[in-house]
Structures are given as C-alpha cells and as structure tokens.
Short mmCIF file of all heavy atoms in Angstrom, two decimals:
data_model
loop_
_atom_site.label_atom_id
_atom_site.label_comp_id
_atom_site.label_asym_id
_atom_site.label_seq_id
_atom_site.Cartn_x
_atom_site.Cartn_y
_atom_site.Cartn_z
N MET A 1 85.31 94.25 94.52
CA MET A 1 85.61 93.11 93.66
C MET A 1 86.51 93.54 92.50
O MET A 1 87.43 92.80 92.10
CB MET A 1 84.32 92.49 93.13
CG MET A 1 84.54 91.17 92.40
SD MET A 1 85.37 89.93 93.43
CE MET A 1 84.09 89.59 94.64
N LEU A 2 86.29 94.74 91.95
CA LEU A 2 87.17 95.24 90.91
C LEU A 2 88.60 95.35 91.42
O LEU A 2 89.55 95.00 90.74
CB LEU A 2 86.69 96.62 90.42
CG LEU A 2 85.51 96.67 89.46
CD1 LEU A 2 85.23 98.11 89.06
CD2 LEU A 2 85.78 95.84 88.21
N LEU A 3 88.73 95.87 92.64
CA LEU A 3 90.06 96.04 93.21
C LEU A 3 90.72 94.68 93.46
O LEU A 3 91.93 94.53 93.27
CB LEU A 3 89.95 96.83 94.52
CG LEU A 3 91.26 97.33 95.11
CD1 LEU A 3 92.01 98.21 94.11
CD2 LEU A 3 91.00 98.11 96.39
N THR A 4 89.93 93.70 93.88
CA THR A 4 90.47 92.35 94.08
C THR A 4 91.02 91.79 92.77
O THR A 4 92.12 91.22 92.73
CB THR A 4 89.39 91.41 94.64
OG1 THR A 4 88.98 91.87 95.93
CG2 THR A 4 89.91 89.99 94.76
N PHE A 5 90.26 91.93 91.69
CA PHE A 5 90.73 91.45 90.39
C PHE A 5 91.98 92.20 89.95
O PHE A 5 92.92 91.59 89.40
CB PHE A 5 89.62 91.60 89.35
CG PHE A 5 88.71 90.41 89.26
CD1 PHE A 5 87.76 90.16 90.23
CD2 PHE A 5 88.80 89.53 88.20
CE1 PHE A 5 86.92 89.07 90.15
CE2 PHE A 5 87.98 88.41 88.11
CZ PHE A 5 87.03 88.18 89.09
N ALA A 6 92.02 93.51 90.17
CA ALA A 6 93.18 94.30 89.76
C ALA A 6 94.43 93.88 90.54
O ALA A 6 95.51 93.69 89.96
CB ALA A 6 92.90 95.79 89.97
N LEU A 7 94.29 93.72 91.85
CA LEU A 7 95.43 93.32 92.67
C LEU A 7 95.84 91.88 92.38
O LEU A 7 97.03 91.54 92.42
CB LEU A 7 95.09 93.50 94.15
CG LEU A 7 94.97 94.95 94.63
CD1 LEU A 7 94.47 95.00 96.06
CD2 LEU A 7 96.32 95.65 94.51
N ALA A 8 94.85 91.03 92.07
CA ALA A 8 95.18 89.65 91.69
C ALA A 8 95.99 89.63 90.40
O ALA A 8 96.96 88.88 90.28
CB ALA A 8 93.90 88.83 91.54
N GLY A 9 95.60 90.46 89.44
CA GLY A 9 96.37 90.55 88.20
C GLY A 9 97.78 91.05 88.45
O GLY A 9 98.76 90.56 87.86
N PHE A 10 97.89 92.04 89.34
CA PHE A 10 99.20 92.60 89.68
C PHE A 10 100.09 91.52 90.30
O PHE A 10 101.24 91.32 89.87
CB PHE A 10 99.00 93.76 90.67
CG PHE A 10 100.21 94.63 90.86
CD1 PHE A 10 100.32 95.83 90.17
CD2 PHE A 10 101.22 94.28 91.73
CE1 PHE A 10 101.42 96.65 90.34
CE2 PHE A 10 102.33 95.08 91.91
CZ PHE A 10 102.44 96.28 91.22
N GLY A 11 99.56 90.82 91.30
CA GLY A 11 100.34 89.78 91.95
C GLY A 11 100.64 88.61 91.04
O GLY A 11 101.73 88.01 91.12
N PHE A 12 99.69 88.28 90.15
CA PHE A 12 99.89 87.15 89.25
C PHE A 12 101.05 87.41 88.29
O PHE A 12 101.81 86.49 87.96
CB PHE A 12 98.60 86.87 88.48
CG PHE A 12 98.68 85.68 87.57
CD1 PHE A 12 98.82 84.40 88.08
CD2 PHE A 12 98.64 85.85 86.20
CE1 PHE A 12 98.91 83.30 87.23
CE2 PHE A 12 98.72 84.76 85.35
CZ PHE A 12 98.86 83.48 85.86
N SER A 13 101.19 88.64 87.84
CA SER A 13 102.29 88.96 86.92
C SER A 13 103.64 88.73 87.60
O SER A 13 104.58 88.22 86.99
CB SER A 13 102.17 90.41 86.43
OG SER A 13 102.35 91.33 87.50
N TRP A 14 103.73 89.11 88.87
CA TRP A 14 104.98 88.88 89.61
C TRP A 14 105.18 87.38 89.84
O TRP A 14 106.29 86.86 89.69
CB TRP A 14 104.93 89.60 90.96
CG TRP A 14 105.15 91.08 90.84
CD1 TRP A 14 104.87 91.88 89.77
CD2 TRP A 14 105.69 91.93 91.85
NE1 TRP A 14 105.18 93.17 90.05
CE2 TRP A 14 105.70 93.24 91.31
CE3 TRP A 14 106.15 91.73 93.14
CZ2 TRP A 14 106.16 94.34 92.04
CZ3 TRP A 14 106.61 92.82 93.86
CH2 TRP A 14 106.62 94.11 93.32
N ALA A 15 104.13 86.69 90.23
CA ALA A 15 104.24 85.27 90.53
C ALA A 15 104.68 84.48 89.30
O ALA A 15 105.54 83.58 89.40
CB ALA A 15 102.90 84.75 91.04
N ILE A 16 104.10 84.83 88.16
CA ILE A 16 104.42 84.06 86.96
C ILE A 16 105.85 84.32 86.48
O ILE A 16 106.54 83.42 86.00
CB ILE A 16 103.39 84.35 85.84
CG1 ILE A 16 103.44 83.25 84.78
CG2 ILE A 16 103.62 85.72 85.21
CD1 ILE A 16 102.31 83.35 83.76
N VAL A 17 106.34 85.57 86.67
CA VAL A 17 107.72 85.88 86.27
C VAL A 17 108.71 85.12 87.16
O VAL A 17 109.64 84.47 86.67
CB VAL A 17 107.97 87.40 86.35
CG1 VAL A 17 109.46 87.70 86.25
CG2 VAL A 17 107.25 88.11 85.22
N PHE A 18 108.51 85.19 88.48
CA PHE A 18 109.42 84.48 89.38
C PHE A 18 109.32 82.97 89.18
O PHE A 18 110.33 82.26 89.23
CB PHE A 18 109.10 84.85 90.83
CG PHE A 18 109.64 86.18 91.24
CD1 PHE A 18 108.82 87.29 91.35
CD2 PHE A 18 111.00 86.35 91.51
CE1 PHE A 18 109.31 88.52 91.73
CE2 PHE A 18 111.51 87.58 91.89
CZ PHE A 18 110.66 88.67 92.00
N GLY A 19 108.10 82.47 88.95
CA GLY A 19 107.93 81.04 88.76
C GLY A 19 108.60 80.53 87.49
O GLY A 19 109.29 79.51 87.51
N LEU A 20 108.40 81.23 86.38
CA LEU A 20 108.99 80.80 85.12
C LEU A 20 110.51 80.89 85.14
O LEU A 20 111.21 80.03 84.59
CB LEU A 20 108.42 81.64 83.96
CG LEU A 20 106.97 81.34 83.58
CD1 LEU A 20 106.50 82.30 82.48
CD2 LEU A 20 106.81 79.90 83.10
N LEU A 21 111.03 81.95 85.76
CA LEU A 21 112.48 82.08 85.82
C LEU A 21 113.10 81.02 86.72
O LEU A 21 114.23 80.59 86.50
CB LEU A 21 112.85 83.48 86.31
CG LEU A 21 112.60 84.61 85.31
CD1 LEU A 21 112.92 85.97 85.93
CD2 LEU A 21 113.42 84.41 84.04
N ALA A 22 112.34 80.61 87.75
CA ALA A 22 112.84 79.52 88.59
C ALA A 22 112.84 78.20 87.82
O ALA A 22 113.72 77.36 88.01
CB ALA A 22 111.97 79.40 89.84
N LEU A 23 111.85 78.03 86.95
CA LEU A 23 111.76 76.81 86.14
C LEU A 23 112.80 76.80 85.03
O LEU A 23 113.36 75.76 84.68
CB LEU A 23 110.36 76.69 85.55
CG LEU A 23 110.01 75.38 84.85
CD1 LEU A 23 110.10 74.20 85.83
CD2 LEU A 23 108.61 75.45 84.25
N PHE A 24 113.09 77.98 84.48
CA PHE A 24 114.08 78.12 83.40
C PHE A 24 115.11 79.17 83.81
O PHE A 24 115.11 80.30 83.28
CB PHE A 24 113.41 78.51 82.08
CG PHE A 24 112.30 77.58 81.66
CD1 PHE A 24 110.97 77.94 81.84
CD2 PHE A 24 112.60 76.35 81.10
CE1 PHE A 24 109.95 77.09 81.44
CE2 PHE A 24 111.58 75.49 80.71
CZ PHE A 24 110.26 75.86 80.88
N PRO A 25 115.99 78.87 84.74
CA PRO A 25 116.94 79.87 85.25
C PRO A 25 117.89 80.40 84.18
O PRO A 25 118.44 81.50 84.33
CB PRO A 25 117.69 79.10 86.34
CG PRO A 25 117.49 77.66 86.03
CD PRO A 25 116.15 77.56 85.40
N GLN A 26 118.09 79.63 83.12
CA GLN A 26 118.96 80.11 82.06
C GLN A 26 118.42 81.38 81.40
O GLN A 26 119.18 82.15 80.79
CB GLN A 26 119.20 79.03 81.00
CG GLN A 26 117.94 78.58 80.27
CD GLN A 26 117.22 77.45 80.97
OE1 GLN A 26 117.42 77.24 82.17
NE2 GLN A 26 116.39 76.73 80.24
N ALA A 27 117.10 81.60 81.54
CA ALA A 27 116.50 82.80 80.96
C ALA A 27 116.97 84.07 81.65
O ALA A 27 116.84 85.17 81.11
CB ALA A 27 114.97 82.71 81.02
N LEU A 28 117.56 83.93 82.86
CA LEU A 28 118.06 85.10 83.57
C LEU A 28 119.14 85.83 82.76
O LEU A 28 119.29 87.05 82.85
CB LEU A 28 118.64 84.69 84.93
CG LEU A 28 117.63 84.30 86.02
CD1 LEU A 28 118.35 83.72 87.23
CD2 LEU A 28 116.81 85.52 86.44
N GLN A 29 119.87 85.05 81.97
CA GLN A 29 120.95 85.65 81.19
C GLN A 29 120.41 86.55 80.08
O GLN A 29 121.13 87.40 79.57
CB GLN A 29 121.82 84.54 80.59
CG GLN A 29 122.47 83.64 81.64
CD GLN A 29 123.25 82.50 81.02
OE1 GLN A 29 123.34 82.38 79.79
NE2 GLN A 29 123.83 81.64 81.85
N SER A 30 119.14 86.33 79.73
CA SER A 30 118.54 87.14 78.66
C SER A 30 117.97 88.46 79.19
O SER A 30 117.62 89.34 78.40
CB SER A 30 117.43 86.35 77.96
OG SER A 30 117.92 85.14 77.43
N LEU A 31 117.85 88.59 80.51
CA LEU A 31 117.31 89.82 81.06
C LEU A 31 118.29 90.97 80.86
O LEU A 31 119.51 90.79 80.98
CB LEU A 31 117.02 89.65 82.56
CG LEU A 31 115.90 88.69 82.96
CD1 LEU A 31 115.80 88.63 84.49
CD2 LEU A 31 114.57 89.14 82.36
N PRO A 32 117.78 92.17 80.56
CA PRO A 32 118.69 93.32 80.44
C PRO A 32 119.32 93.64 81.78
O PRO A 32 118.76 93.35 82.84
CB PRO A 32 117.76 94.44 79.96
CG PRO A 32 116.40 94.03 80.39
CD PRO A 32 116.39 92.53 80.33
N LYS A 33 120.50 94.25 81.74
CA LYS A 33 121.18 94.62 82.97
C LYS A 33 120.53 95.86 83.58
O LYS A 33 119.98 96.70 82.87
CB LYS A 33 122.66 94.88 82.69
CG LYS A 33 123.43 93.65 82.24
CD LYS A 33 124.90 93.98 82.02
CE LYS A 33 125.68 92.73 81.59
NZ LYS A 33 127.12 93.04 81.38
N SER A 34 120.61 95.94 84.89
CA SER A 34 120.10 97.13 85.57
C SER A 34 120.87 98.35 85.09
O SER A 34 122.06 98.27 84.78
CB SER A 34 120.23 96.98 87.08
OG SER A 34 119.51 95.86 87.54
N GLY A 35 120.19 99.48 85.05
CA GLY A 35 120.85 100.70 84.59
C GLY A 35 119.92 101.88 84.56
O GLY A 35 118.82 101.86 85.15
N GLY A 36 120.34 102.91 83.86
CA GLY A 36 119.57 104.15 83.81
C GLY A 36 118.21 104.00 83.17
O GLY A 36 117.32 104.83 83.41
#
C-alpha cells in the first residue's frame, strides 16, 4: 500500500503537469529551454 501511494503520487505529478499545460498552453513559453 505504501508503494501504491508513492507511485500514485509519482504519476499524479506527471498527470497534473501535462493536464495544466494542456489547459494553459501559453505557459509552455515560460518553461526553461532544454540544456546542460
């Protein structure tokens, strides 16, 4: 059950980032550029 909660938290962080950026795509411009 601990592992389920940990993995749920892990997946939720990804889900919420992709979801919010899809809702507010203009926020993509605020993301730092890929690099070193």
